[in-house]
Amino acid sequence: MKKRILVLDAFTNGHEAVLAFIQRQGWAETDCEIVFCGTHPNVFKHLTEGPAYAVVPIRNSIAGEVTEVTKHLALFRETGYDLRERDRLDLQINTSVKQPAVEVMLESKAQIVGLHPMFRPEMPFDGQTVVACPARLTAPDWKTWVVNMLTATRAQIKWSTPAEHDGYMTTVQVIPHLGNLTSALLITEAGVSVSESLAFTSPFYRVMFSLMGRLVSQSPDLYTSIVMENPETLTMLERRIAIEQRLVQMIRDKDQAAFEELFAQANVHFGPDVTKEANELFMRILGVLSTLYGKNSVTLEFSKAQSRPGLLERISRVFSERQINLTGINSVALDGQRLQFTISFEQSRTSDGVHRALEEIEEWSDPRVKVLN
């Protein structure tokens, strides 16, 4: 019989956490049955069906690193989940549909708050969005603690109800994910070479390409629950199909006026403030793309362990001393180990001054910097 391993949250790092757990136990993956539960109640339901291990990935939560619970959760089969404590705070974290799980948790007397960090687990909280859904937060001490804890993360906190949260997840998760998947499948089924298409790319397509590529490169488990468990998915998908059928008819009839009217309708609904912000953001993205892919750009890579305050200033000084004007700087952390600075110049990438500056940087012993292009 295979060992059943229950995974609480497939939306962040559930798959990698359970594989790491299996490896630490010295088991073969083929000897294990991995069950993605999605919510605490589903974990408890599966535990009543027989022996199981559980891996609860919470790296994206306030709680910190991945926590494995095996013997502790197994006890629930004998003792049940304690729903009686009045002084407890239960946080329901990460699931994209809050209301069903929160309703079960409200059977207890505990304080109940749903949290949904809207970003990848390896990203810092600072500046990111966390949706907080206080289903029951009446105890003054716990209310103060929750507010202070969320404030300390420096994230953008959006207070909501579970029902409102679930409704907006249709808009901010289901619609974009299905749209990107549909576009990726159109390209796939048309047999278009993606790599070759990038030689013809516009900035808009490159942004769209990055969204599609990121989506299809990840585990489908991440998106299956988001799409399948949202009760509004079918309604939105049917509405999308209806819109596309209207588009088909307009294009078949070459009805230019009707086609342009669709743009006008959407523009009015979005409003001038939103479209202004969207255009400004797109211009910023173009600036980043220009730095990343411009002919007069270079990428410097070094290990995260060697990162220290003043490093970017030190690099900039090397170019400044040679009268080289920097037009853009982009930094990114890759795989938790490598950091990259991509820098663009006003001067030619092949100029003598740029060449000598890069040579000097490569000769550093601390930190060791690799020039990638």
Side-chain angles (χ1 to χ4, degrees):
M1 179 181 294
K2 289 191 174 184
K3 300 177 178 67
R4 287 195 315 138
I5 303 179
L6 311 183
V7 185
L8 171 61
D9 188 359
F11 304 132
T12 52
N13 59 322
H15 192 254
E16 66 181 63
V18 75
L19 292 181
F21 174 76
I22 290 171
Q23 185 178 24
R24 281 194 295 274
Q25 300 300 317
W27 300 334
E29 186 179 348
T30 53
D31 294 333
C32 300
E33 176 191 2
I34 302 173
V35 182
F36 289 97
C37 299
T39 63
H40 289 83
N42 281 341
V43 171
F44 304 137
K45 176 179 179 294
H46 283 292
L47 282 169
T48 64
E49 297 171 352
Y53 292 84
V55 176
V56 183
I58 51 175
R59 191 171 63 194
N60 199 16
S61 74
I62 307 301
E65 292 300 317
V66 172
T67 299
E68 297 167 6
V69 284
T70 53
K71 295 178 181 178
H72 181 61
L73 273 181
L75 291 175
F76 287 134
R77 293 182 56 238
E78 300 176 2
T79 64
Y81 181 41
D82 184 5
L83 297 175
R84 296 170 297 177
E85 293 186 28
R86 295 176 180 271
D87 298 329
R88 189 180 67 225
L89 170 68
D90 286 348
L91 299 178
Q92 196 278 336
I93 299 174
N94 268 352
T95 52
S96 293
V97 179
K98 291 289 180 196
Q99 197 159 7
V102 166
E103 286 177 355
V104 172
M105 295 172 74
L106 284 172
E107 295 175 9
S108 75
K109 303 299 183 182
Q111 303 290 292
I112 307 296
V113 178
L115 296 177
H116 191 179
M118 302 298 296
F119 50 95
R120 288 174 60 85
E122 64 269 23
M123 296 182 67
F125 276 77
D126 192 5
Q128 300 295 331
T129 298
V130 175
V131 183
C133 305
R136 181 192 293 137
L137 191 57
T138 54
D141 289 346
W142 275 126
K143 189 172 185 178
T144 300
W145 184 89
V146 168
V147 171
N148 290 343
M149 179 270 293
L150 292 174
T151 301
T153 67
R154 296 191 295 181
Q156 299 288 332
I157 308 302
K158 171 60 180 176
W159 295 95
S160 180
T161 65
E164 182 186 41
H165 165 275
D166 293 356
Y168 275 106
M169 287 308 104
T170 308
T171 301
V172 304
Q173 287 191 320
V174 173
I175 292 176
H177 293 333
L178 287 178
N180 287 323
L181 179 60
T182 301
S183 297
L185 290 173
L186 278 171
I187 293 171
T188 300
E189 294 184 5
V192 176
S193 168
V194 179
S195 58
E196 186 66 21
S197 72
L198 291 176
F200 296 84
T201 190
S202 65
F204 183 86
Y205 178 75
R206 187 171 287 278
V207 172
M208 189 177 77
F209 161 77
S210 69
L211 296 174
M212 291 187 294
R214 180 179 179 276
L215 179 84
V216 300
S217 67
Q218 297 187 83
S219 171
D221 295 329
L222 297 172
Y223 301 99
T224 300
S225 296
I226 291 175
V227 172
M228 298 290 184
E229 292 184 7
N230 192 306
E232 296 300 318
T233 294
L234 279 179
T235 300
M236 280 296 185
L237 195 54
E238 289 166 354
R239 186 171 294 167
R240 177 191 174 110
I241 292 171
I243 291 172
E244 290 178 339
Q245 288 173 339
R246 285 159 54 197
L247 285 169
V248 168
Q249 192 60 48
M250 289 176 192
I251 295 169
R252 182 175 287 132
D253 296 341
K254 299 190 182 303
D255 191 343
Q256 182 176 338
F259 185 76
E260 292 176 356
E261 177 60 23
L262 296 179
F263 283 81
Q265 290 175 8
N267 186 45
V268 169
H269 180 75
F270 275 54
D273 292 340
V274 171
T275 54
K276 180 176 182 289
E277 181 182 349
N279 280 297
E280 289 176 354
L281 176 60
F282 190 73
M283 293 305 295
R284 292 179 184 274
I285 292 173
L286 291 185
V288 172
L289 292 176
S290 177
T291 297
L292 292 177
Y293 300 107
K295 290 184 177 180
N296 295 327
S297 298
V298 66
T299 297
L300 308 177
E301 182 178 282
F302 51 96
S303 71
K304 188 175 182 180
Q306 292 183 304
S307 177
R308 57 184 58 86
L311 177 57
L312 183 57
E313 180 186 4
R314 183 182 174 191
I315 292 172
S316 300
R317 192 183 310 121
V318 173
F319 293 104
S320 175
E321 289 171 351
R322 290 171 171 78
Q323 304 298 308
I324 298 169
N325 187 34
L326 306 184
T327 57
I329 300 175
N330 177 265
S331 64
V332 64
L334 300 175
D335 61 38
Q337 302 296 324
R338 297 173 295 150
L339 293 178
Q340 289 185 352
F341 290 145
T342 300
I343 302 172
S344 57
F345 322 102
E346 189 174 84
Q347 288 86 342
S348 169
R349 167 69 173 81
T350 58
S351 68
D352 184 65
V354 171
H355 179 71
R356 291 183 181 277
L358 295 176
E359 278 188 336
E360 178 180 335
I361 292 172
E362 276 196 300
E363 289 174 358
W364 290 350
S365 59
D366 184 25
R368 296 292 301 174
V369 180
K370 183 188 298 184
V371 177
L372 298 184
N373 52 25

